[in-house]
Amino acid sequence: MLEDTAKLGQALFSGWWSMLSVQVPGFTFTFGQMYLGVGICTLSLFVLKLLFGFGGSGGESSRSSSSRNPKISKERQGDEF
């Protein structure tokens, strides 16, 4: 049972590994190089987001938070979001 599972895993891994050496149609790089480049770009953007704090606020804000002195009519002062 364990040997069969190991053979299955080896077959899947070797098939996946051989796919990485196939060239992307119309380009001079392989799928492995493309995945590596995408991974490096993703990691770089994540580090930049952590260092500089850009990329979305991530939280909810009220409609009147963009102004220091919001002018809310008396009819709308008790509204809930």
Side-chain angles (χ1 to χ4, degrees):
M1 177 79 178
L2 185 60
E3 293 174 11
D4 293 336
T5 306
K7 286 180 183 179
L8 179 63
Q10 185 178 9
L12 290 174
F13 184 74
S14 66
W16 181 79
W17 189 259
S18 65
M19 187 205 68
L20 294 178
S21 62
V22 175
Q23 278 200 320
V24 177
F27 295 99
T28 59
F29 51 85
T30 64
F31 279 101
Q33 292 169 334
M34 181 182 69
Y35 291 142
L36 181 64
V38 168
I40 289 173
C41 288
T42 303
L43 182 65
S44 299
L45 290 174
F46 180 72
V47 169
L48 286 174
K49 181 180 178 181
L50 286 177
L51 289 176
F52 298 111
F54 69 87
S57 62
E60 292 185 24
S61 62
S62 64
R63 289 181 278 174
S64 62
S65 65
S66 62
S67 175
R68 289 182 184 237
N69 299 319
K71 296 187 172 29
I72 302 172
S73 66
K74 291 181 181 179
E75 294 84 18
R76 295 293 178 190
Q77 284 182 352
D79 286 358
E80 295 291 327
F81 293 106

